């Protein structure tokens, strides 16, 4: 057991070291090292690389210490092979939309636009407000990996829409032949509400 634990720790150290080396390579080769800088009063400025894991990084732009402009998340294989995963647009460190995600072939997967604070799909549960679980709402379009529109409708989500989100209202779904049909997610939202009222896990 101790040997296995030591092997797992060693693997984690090697993976982290490899990721950090890859980050250094990207920093030097693509940005000439001119990245992750602070201004004269200590605020982040310009482009910043943020390590996520051994294969993913964020590239964000800061102005006066605040996120500003386009934020990008990449799947990175080496210093020249980057594949875009997510684009997000910020102003004063707040997401302004749209949020755009991509397939591995770099075709658009999801677009979430008209983003705002979730005020339409909330309910009170004692002192708990359900919007704290999904604080944002936006209009979502989902595409196939061939670039065809697959579905669209309103969506509520947390800070990472790929990890936590729920379709709400009436959605339009599109078939490969161009025909369409609708799905009403109101019942799903009502069921989530009932589960929360009864203290069940969602």
């Amino acid at each position: 057991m101790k040997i296995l634990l030591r092997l797992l720790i060693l693997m984690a150290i090697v993976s982290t070291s490899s990721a950090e080396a890859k980050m250094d390579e990207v920093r030097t080769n693509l940005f000439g090292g001119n990245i992750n800088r602070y201004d004269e009063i200590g605020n982040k400025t310009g482009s910043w690389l943020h390590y996520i894991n051994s294969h993913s990084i964020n590239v964000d732009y800061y102005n006066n210490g605040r996120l500003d402009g386009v934020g990008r998340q990449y799947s990175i294989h080496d210093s020249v092979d980057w594949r875009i995963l997510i684009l997000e647009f910020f102003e004063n460190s707040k997401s302004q939309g749209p949020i755009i995600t991509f397939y591995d072939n770099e075709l658009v997967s999801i677009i979430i636009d008209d983003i705002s604070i979730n005020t339409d799909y909330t309910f009170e549960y004692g002192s708990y407000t359900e919007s704290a679980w999904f604080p944002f709402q936006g209009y979502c379009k989902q595409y196939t990996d061939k670039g065809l529109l697959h579905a669209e409708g309103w969506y509520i989500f947390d800070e990472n829409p790929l990890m936590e989100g729920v379709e709400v209202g009436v959605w339009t779904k599109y078939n490969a032949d161009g025909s369409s049909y609708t799905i009403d997610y109101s019942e799903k939202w009502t069921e989530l509400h009932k589960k929360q009222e009864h203290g069940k896990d969602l």
Side-chain angles (χ1 to χ4, degrees):
M1 187 68 179
K2 289 183 178 180
I3 294 175
L4 177 60
L5 181 59
R6 288 173 182 171
L7 285 173
L8 290 173
I9 293 172
L10 179 60
M11 289 172 63
I13 291 171
V14 170
S15 176
T16 302
S17 299
S18 174
E20 290 175 350
K22 189 177 291 184
M23 287 282 288
D24 288 339
E25 180 185 8
V26 171
R27 240 184 238 113
T28 301
N29 293 348
L30 293 186
F31 295 93
N34 192 26
I35 197 166
N36 288 20
R37 295 174 296 123
Y38 294 92
D39 62 21
E40 62 276 4
I41 59 174
N43 290 324
K44 289 182 178 179
T45 187
S47 296
W48 272 70
L49 289 180
H50 304 277
Y51 161 74
I52 300 174
N53 55 47
S54 60
H55 299 291
S56 300
I57 61 172
N58 280 351
V59 179
D60 295 312
Y61 190 85
Y62 285 83
N63 183 24
N64 294 322
R66 309 287 288 177
L67 285 168
D68 189 64
V70 181
R72 301 172 176 87
Q73 184 178 132
Y74 292 94
S75 168
I76 180 168
H77 302 271
D78 56 48
S79 61
V80 294
D81 185 8
W82 290 30
R83 298 175 191 175
I84 186 68
L85 295 177
I86 302 173
L87 283 179
E88 190 167 0
F89 299 83
F90 294 94
E91 182 177 338
N92 197 28
S93 286
K94 293 182 179 179
S95 179
Q96 300 299 307
I99 298 173
I100 306 172
T101 69
F102 297 82
Y103 288 106
D104 193 53
N105 62 7
E106 297 191 328
L107 288 178
V108 170
S109 171
I110 295 171
I111 299 176
I112 304 175
D113 208 352
D114 295 325
I115 296 171
S116 63
I117 299 299
N118 176 15
T119 57
D120 296 329
Y121 300 95
T122 65
F123 56 80
E124 298 296 327
Y125 178 63
S127 60
Y128 178 76
T129 302
E130 180 61 22
S131 62
W133 186 34
F134 295 127
F136 305 105
Q137 63 187 43
Y139 194 79
C140 180
K141 291 185 176 182
Q142 300 173 353
Y143 295 84
T144 70
D145 59 4
K146 305 298 183 183
L148 301 176
L149 182 61
H150 171 65
E152 60 181 318
W154 285 94
Y155 189 71
I156 56 175
F157 55 96
D158 70 0
E159 292 184 355
N160 187 339
L162 300 183
M163 298 296 293
E164 293 286 347
V166 174
E167 296 99 336
V168 289
V170 178
W171 274 60
T172 302
K173 304 279 185 172
Y174 299 93
N175 297 313
D177 62 5
S179 61
S180 63
Y181 59 98
T182 59
I183 295 180
D184 190 346
Y185 285 101
S186 301
E187 291 185 5
K188 179 179 179 180
W189 180 245
T190 301
E191 184 63 25
L192 288 173
H193 187 177
K194 288 179 179 178
K195 287 181 179 179
Q196 182 63 33
E197 284 181 327
H198 290 86
K200 297 179 180 179
D201 292 334
L202 296 174

